Amino acid sequence: IVQGVSRILHGVEEGRDRRDLEPRVDADVELGRRDARLDGAELQALEAPPLRVGTAAGPGLNLKARMSEGDDRKRSADVADGSARTRDGSLIAYTHYRNPEARARIALAHSLAMDRSFWQPVVERLRPDASVLVHDCRGHGASDKPPGPYTVELFADDLADLLDAAGWERAAVAGASMGGCTALAFAARYPGRTTGLGLIDTTARYGEDAPAAWAGRADKALEAGLEALVGFQTERWFGDAFRKQHPEVVERCVEIFLANDPAAYAASCHMLGACDLRNALPCLRMPAAIVVGEEDYATPVDMARALHEGIRGSSLKVLEGARHLTPLERPDVVAAELRRLVVAGGPA
């Protein structure tokens, strides 16, 4: 850890001209300009091993790979880890993939019980065309895990604070599953800041029985532990063929899932049970791309179609044979949809 802090401090002197990483509002937000007073959450963010896609055609993550060969702590000058302080004082861990040659910007929010590494296959495909910001949602990964209740509007405000800290006035925003609810809430609360909206394997509302169904999942996690949900989760995440062909991706997702704090997971479950953003759909005017797996029974095609019908001018793409975590099952297609979205929305 001491060596990692030393490297960060050394990098500060070389990178103080990275103006788009400097805080514009809150002096407590630390994005690329760190001092020696790193707290546990920030150190954990720095210690988290970044994951890398395998082949260009391959779906999923190359386990145990690092962003740099030979030195697993070294980060590119255009990749920065850190944490941003939100308006309520919570720290949100992030990774910023900066492309100085691209004017496009996109922020990505991950699925329930995952972390920012969830987006790595898609990030690698988007980096030639845009700067990309990924973060661990509140209650997840290396971010703070304050007690609930949580709301999707709170998660959207966290994202707005992160964009403020990065110096991003506007950006495309996209999310998968829970992250899609976050992105949708962000677009509804901050339409002037949203150049494009990507809604992947998600919904505006989980249904009439959602509060009870999500409360049941939360209770099971608290009473029996997250291990009791693994079988249920893996079958929802990935199709049968994908699980057989890519066990390493499934294994990594299970590792991330089991590392979650049960209380924060439960608070996130209750948040999704209460989520209802249907009234926001007709008000959205930014370009919107909706993607769903044909076999997704967590947020089925009918839910994606309701988003498509509710958001004027949106596109809908159904991925044959895919299930709930399409950014991992079909990163090429998801990245292509998001790239098109960024281009349609114009420069941030």
Side-chain angles (χ1 to χ4, degrees):
I1 292 175
V2 172
Q3 291 176 346
V5 172
S6 176
R7 290 189 183 97
I8 293 297
L9 292 174
H10 180 69
V12 167
E13 297 306 319
E14 297 178 352
R16 289 191 180 276
D17 61 343
R18 299 176 197 169
R19 290 185 174 86
D20 64 342
L21 286 178
E22 293 190 8
R24 299 187 310 130
V25 179
D26 185 347
D28 286 335
V29 180
E30 298 172 344
L31 292 168
R33 299 195 314 165
R34 295 184 168 276
D35 59 24
R37 295 171 296 174
L38 299 176
D39 64 15
E42 294 173 290
L43 288 170
Q44 186 179 355
L46 294 173
E47 291 294 312
L51 299 173
R52 188 180 63 188
V53 292
T55 65
L61 305 173
N62 182 2
L63 291 180
K64 304 187 185 302
R66 296 293 195 263
M67 294 295 294
S68 175
E69 298 296 334
D71 183 353
D72 64 3
R73 295 293 183 81
K74 184 178 180 181
R75 300 289 269 173
S76 162
D78 292 327
V79 181
D81 291 333
S83 59
R85 194 174 301 280
T86 66
R87 63 195 70 181
D88 72 352
S90 297
L91 285 171
I92 300 297
Y94 76 95
T95 301
H96 182 224
Y97 299 88
R98 182 172 174 266
N99 183 341
E101 299 179 359
R103 297 181 63 189
R105 294 167 172 171
I106 186 167
L108 305 173
H110 60 76
S111 179
L112 174 67
M114 293 291 100
D115 62 20
R116 62 194 133 142
S117 70
F118 171 85
W119 285 108
Q120 195 66 30
V122 172
V123 168
E124 291 299 322
R125 290 158 171 81
L126 290 178
R127 287 185 67 185
D129 304 296
S131 292
V132 185
L133 193 62
V134 294
H135 68 288
D136 293 342
C137 292
R138 177 184 295 253
H140 293 72
S143 291
D144 280 353
K145 301 168 181 62
Y150 298 163
T151 66
V152 291
E153 292 78 14
L154 176 61
F155 277 38
D157 289 343
D158 288 344
L159 180 54
D161 293 343
L162 181 57
L163 296 191
D164 283 343
W168 288 15
E169 180 59 33
R170 304 169 74 234
V173 295
S177 192
M178 178 189 78
C181 296
T182 299
L184 182 56
F186 180 91
R189 289 170 78 80
Y190 304 96
R193 304 191 67 176
T194 310
T195 62
L197 176 62
L199 301 174
I200 303 164
D201 312 315
T202 193
T203 183
R205 185 188 184 219
Y206 281 90
E208 291 288 343
D209 63 344
W214 281 103
R217 198 186 305 187
D219 290 344
K220 188 169 185 177
L222 292 173
E223 295 168 4
L226 292 169
E227 295 84 354
L229 292 166
V230 167
F232 167 82
Q233 291 293 162
T234 55
E235 291 181 2
R236 289 167 74 89
W237 288 339
F238 304 114
D240 297 340
F242 185 91
R243 295 199 312 275
K244 182 179 293 186
Q245 295 166 8
H246 301 282
E248 76 286 353
V249 178
V250 180
E251 177 187 350
R252 178 58 180 150
C253 288
V254 169
E255 289 174 0
I256 295 170
F257 178 79
L258 292 177
N260 275 271
D261 174 74
Y265 174 83
S268 300
C269 287
H270 286 294
M271 172 185 78
L272 294 176
C275 176
D276 188 352
L277 296 165
R278 291 174 295 172
N279 290 339
L281 302 183
C283 303
L284 302 178
R285 296 291 182 266
M286 68 287 295
I290 299 155
V291 179
V292 65
E294 178 188 37
E295 299 178 2
D296 188 348
Y297 54 87
T299 51
V301 173
D302 284 347
M303 290 185 177
R305 189 169 289 115
L307 292 172
H308 175 51
E309 293 172 355
I311 303 174
R312 185 168 56 186
S314 64
S315 65
L316 172 62
K317 192 171 193 68
V318 180
L319 305 185
E320 184 179 356
R323 207 160 279 184
H324 188 55
L325 298 187
T326 59
L328 294 177
E329 279 193 280
R330 305 289 175 80
D332 286 326
V333 179
V334 171
E337 287 296 301
L338 295 181
R339 187 181 300 109
R340 182 179 59 79
L341 184 69
V342 168
V343 171

